Amino acid sequence: MDFLVFPDHPVAARLAAGLPRTPATHTVAHPSGRPWIVGHWRSEELVTARVGPRCALLLGTTSATPDDLAHLLHRLRDLDDLAALRHELPGSFFLLACTGAEIRSRGSLSAVRRLHRTALGGITVLGNRPQDLAALARAAAAAGLPGAPRTGAVDEEALAAHLLAPGAPLPLAQRTPWRAVHAVPPDRCAAHDPAGRYRELRWWRPPEPALPLPDAAEAVREALGTAVHARTKRATLSADLTGGLDSTSVCFLAARDGTELITTGWEGRDPADDDPLWSAHSAYRLSLVRRAGRHLSLPYTDAPTWYTPPEHPGHTDPAGPLVAIRDAARLLHQAHLVAAFGSRMHLTGVGGDALFAPRPLALNSLARGDLRTAVQLARRARRIAPQSLPATVRTLLGGRSYPRWLAAGADRIVPGARRRPGSADWEEVPAMPPWAHPDAVATVRRLLREAAAAAPEPFDPLRAQHEVAAAAVRAGERVRGIDALTSAHGVAYEAPFLDDAVIEAALAVGLADRVPGGGKPVLAAAMRGTVPGPVLGRGRRRAQSAELHAGLRRNRRALAALCEDSKLAALGLIRPEALRPVLTSLQPDTGVLRPLDPTLAAEFWLRALPPPPAHAAPPPPAARLSTPAAENG
């Protein structure tokens, strides 16, 4: 699925007229006849309704019908009411609505469905794929329409921020690797007024974390069940069944709807890895309650290893560096296997950890309103996971405003510096890799300071709420990238945990029930009676370091060859002489390899780009973006 959204403006007609078209191209017009939405989608991905001057479209995955959408339109007083009525539309989708020439467009909270924007010819155009906006910008520039200089070219500053591990803070993550193409924040709605002017309106804030456990579990059960049901109208469906609570919950909920379900579980290289045993046990229990289906146990001997280089450009995501680069080849292998059994959609439990794994930051937020309870729970947490008294005090009382936290992060950005996440940090503190070029480090530090100076709002004043929402966005970016990869081979990749309603249900859970104490108590309570009892109490799963080391050993020569003609090095972003030893030597400490994924993702993405037009000017080296002298000044 791909589409562009145009305001009702004369320039929009000129831009849309230059788009390449095929028999599969769809166009939805404004009442004036000018193009509103132009793109490609399957019939099952579109739900639309029109009531008088109002029109609304859902593009994505939903169980809503045109009648449901029409009923919603009848109840609207104006387009601002869409935010309040969104709960009635299950699934994961883009919502596009208009009244006359006034438009509202939004994606999903998790950014699985993410809108992007760019300014061309005096108007703002939206799209779900940043590479399409970049291509449109280049075509507009060639046609003489005004826009920001080099709009649609590779943004070297944004690529520098993409090297951060485990990921850039949210204000920097809104920047795509395409110059002057930006992501619309997930809590913002894109609005065009009748004159074509653009603005972004905040449409969502996290709910109060006030529900007691029994009520919260019921809300989670209903929201997750509805999210899975929105995807089970297909005759055949496949799903991960790893043996963990997240994927097992999705599978047992899907089995209730009578869809033929194909489940998959990877065999592990580590003999101590008990995931295959849990997966096989759950598959047996699942066979007792579902229609005829099958469980595919995927041997590692028959599959690509981690870090297998992409075979061709189609094995990367054109939108930007692929978060799941280390296991991209395995995901494609899995997609081909389930497609052979008739699956055109694969479900995953990604998002369960982001929403339901207890975190120490819940104590910090709880202390803001109930210090006594927070202290009692902190004492209990210290018995489970010993922590020094000063660290516990920082957990309860520490922290600074979000902009100040961002600014302080700039001072900590140095090559190779790794720091354990603090218990009062808004997000996990990122680091630049040891092989980052000093000028790239200086660029990222400057970008962080500029972001902090703009005083960005967090998702919520409570750190625990912001952290969960931010974690959902990061999980959504992973799912979006994998879906771009597997959908190109005929299998959509979907994460029911990341539907808006499930995220809101998780955020409504009382803070006292989100404190570390083992397992995922809220999700376990929600799935009691649906998922086999032993799985509900399963503890932490083993790290997959055996897969990591096997992949690096198998692909060491191909990965090391990247250092010979690195695209990142050509842009002045990394020092290949510092990266090569990491790729060619044994690394007993897997923490050293943590920054590797963002670097490889950016390198493979650059290599997959088509060559620039012959008349295009070469990009400036990153060394000119931010110099040590400027940094020191």
Side-chain angles (χ1 to χ4, degrees):
M1 175 176 60
D2 63 87
F3 62 88
L4 298 172
V5 181
F6 298 95
D8 192 358
H9 192 278
V11 171
R14 183 177 173 186
L15 286 170
L19 292 173
R21 293 177 181 268
T22 70
T25 303
H26 300 286
T27 300
V28 180
H30 286 287
S32 67
R34 295 185 183 119
W36 172 23
I37 306 166
V38 181
H40 306 85
W41 51 80
R42 299 189 304 273
S43 58
E44 63 268 24
E45 292 179 306
L46 173 68
V47 179
T48 183
R50 187 179 293 274
V51 175
R54 298 171 181 165
C55 180
L57 295 86
L58 306 181
L59 280 168
T61 301
T62 181
S63 56
T65 66
D67 286 343
D68 296 330
L69 200 52
H71 180 64
L72 183 148
L73 287 176
H74 273 295
R75 295 162 54 199
L76 288 181
R77 293 168 300 177
D78 55 44
L79 292 181
D80 291 336
D81 288 347
L82 283 171
L85 298 175
R86 71 188 184 281
H87 298 285
E88 302 177 28
L89 301 171
S92 174
F93 47 79
F94 295 95
L95 172 57
L96 311 171
C98 72
T99 295
E102 186 179 6
I103 310 171
R104 294 285 191 279
S105 310
R106 73 165 182 88
S108 62
L109 290 175
S110 67
V112 170
R113 314 291 184 185
R114 168 162 274 189
L115 284 171
H116 303 83
R117 60 174 173 82
T118 194
L120 300 170
I123 65 172
T124 296
V125 182
L126 302 171
N128 68 318
R129 305 198 313 183
Q131 68 268 34
D132 294 341
L133 289 171
L136 181 66
R138 294 192 293 269
L145 284 173
R150 297 185 63 233
T151 296
V154 171
D155 186 341
E156 299 85 4
E157 289 192 349
L159 271 182
H162 272 281
L163 298 181
L164 285 165
L170 283 176
L172 298 192
Q174 307 300 330
R175 293 182 62 156
T176 76
W178 303 99
R179 187 177 297 273
V181 178
H182 299 278
V184 177
D187 59 346
R188 299 298 199 272
C189 176
H192 287 96
D193 69 12
R197 291 183 294 265
Y198 177 81
R199 57 183 176 145
E200 291 177 2
L201 307 172
R202 184 157 189 174
W203 70 271
W204 179 80
R205 295 182 187 275
E208 288 294 320
L211 280 184
L213 183 57
D215 296 338
E218 179 60 33
V220 169
R221 182 184 304 115
E222 180 178 351
L224 185 58
T226 300
V228 172
H229 179 70
R231 295 159 170 87
T232 54
K233 56 186 177 183
R234 291 157 180 78
T236 303
L237 199 67
S238 59
D240 290 333
L241 185 58
T242 64
L245 178 55
D246 305 335
S247 66
T248 306
S249 298
V250 169
C251 288
F252 275 84
L253 289 170
R256 300 188 311 182
D257 288 345
T259 298
E260 181 181 1
L261 188 63
I262 302 161
T263 55
T264 63
W266 291 97
E267 293 182 5
R269 293 174 182 271
D270 186 345
D273 182 4
D274 59 354
D275 271 3
L277 295 177
W278 285 93
S279 179
H281 171 74
S282 294
Y284 169 73
R285 294 290 298 269
L286 196 61
S287 69
L288 304 178
V289 299
R290 70 179 179 183
R291 281 178 55 196
R294 67 176 65 222
H295 177 68
L296 304 179
S297 182
L298 308 180
Y300 64 82
T301 53
D302 297 342
T305 60
W306 281 8
Y307 294 116
T308 298
E311 295 179 4
H312 54 77
H315 285 186
T316 58
D317 178 11
L322 184 68
V323 176
I325 191 65
R326 71 165 64 172
D327 49 347
R330 284 164 63 97
L331 289 163
L332 283 175
H333 174 77
Q334 176 182 256
H336 291 148
L337 288 177
V338 299
F341 287 96
S343 174
R344 295 297 176 265
M345 178 179 287
H346 188 82
L347 304 187
T348 176
V350 173
D353 281 341
L355 299 181
F356 296 106
R359 291 181 170 87
L361 204 53
L363 288 168
N364 180 277
S365 294
L366 180 62
R368 298 295 186 270
D370 188 350
L371 181 58
R372 175 175 294 183
T373 299
V375 170
Q376 292 172 347
L377 292 175
R379 288 172 177 164
R380 187 189 71 181
R382 286 186 69 193
R383 290 195 295 270
I384 298 171
Q387 188 181 50
S388 68
L389 182 58
T392 301
V393 172
R394 286 194 298 272
T395 296
L396 291 170
L397 305 177
R400 60 189 94 190
S401 72
Y402 189 58
R404 288 182 60 201
W405 176 81
L406 282 173
D411 297 329
R412 296 195 294 262
I413 298 293
V414 293
R418 289 183 291 123
R419 173 179 173 270
R420 292 179 62 85
S423 50
D425 285 324
W426 288 88
E427 301 165 33
E428 189 166 355
V429 178
M432 288 291 274
W435 48 84
H437 193 284
D439 293 318
V441 176
T443 294
V444 172
R445 296 179 72 182
R446 173 174 56 79
L447 292 177
L448 276 171
R449 292 191 179 110
E450 290 173 355
E457 283 187 79
F459 284 117
D460 192 88
L462 287 177
R463 289 168 178 78
Q465 297 293 79
H466 173 86
E467 183 194 35
V468 170
V473 171
R474 298 195 194 287
E477 181 60 24
R478 177 180 178 84
V479 170
R480 188 210 56 74
I482 297 173
D483 178 59
L485 198 69
T486 61
S487 288
H489 296 265
V491 181
Y493 192 83
E494 298 257 343
F497 274 103
L498 295 177
D499 282 9
D500 289 2
V502 184
I503 293 173
E504 291 205 322
L507 287 166
V509 176
L511 295 169
D513 293 312
R514 289 153 60 175
V515 172
K520 298 174 182 172
V522 177
L523 184 58
M527 291 295 101
R528 190 163 288 114
T530 300
V531 169
V535 179
L536 297 176
R538 189 182 179 194
R540 292 180 62 87
R541 296 164 59 195
R542 292 184 60 87
Q544 296 177 304
S545 58
E547 298 292 344
L548 186 150
H549 287 297
L552 288 176
R553 283 196 304 271
R554 173 73 63 85
N555 301 295
R556 179 177 296 144
R557 181 173 298 177
L559 295 177
L562 298 175
C563 297
E564 303 302 324
D565 61 343
S566 167
K567 301 289 186 180
L568 288 171
L571 293 175
L573 296 174
I574 68 168
R575 296 177 298 117
E577 68 276 10
L579 174 60
R580 187 180 293 106
V582 176
L583 296 171
T584 57
S585 60
L586 293 176
Q587 301 292 339
D589 178 12
T590 56
V592 175
L593 301 170
R594 191 184 192 199
L596 188 58
D597 287 17
T599 298
L600 292 178
E603 181 68 37
F604 286 131
W605 179 76
L606 283 170
R607 289 170 177 265
L609 291 179
H615 62 273
R624 298 179 192 168
L625 300 177
S626 179
T627 64
E631 178 67 24
N632 293 334

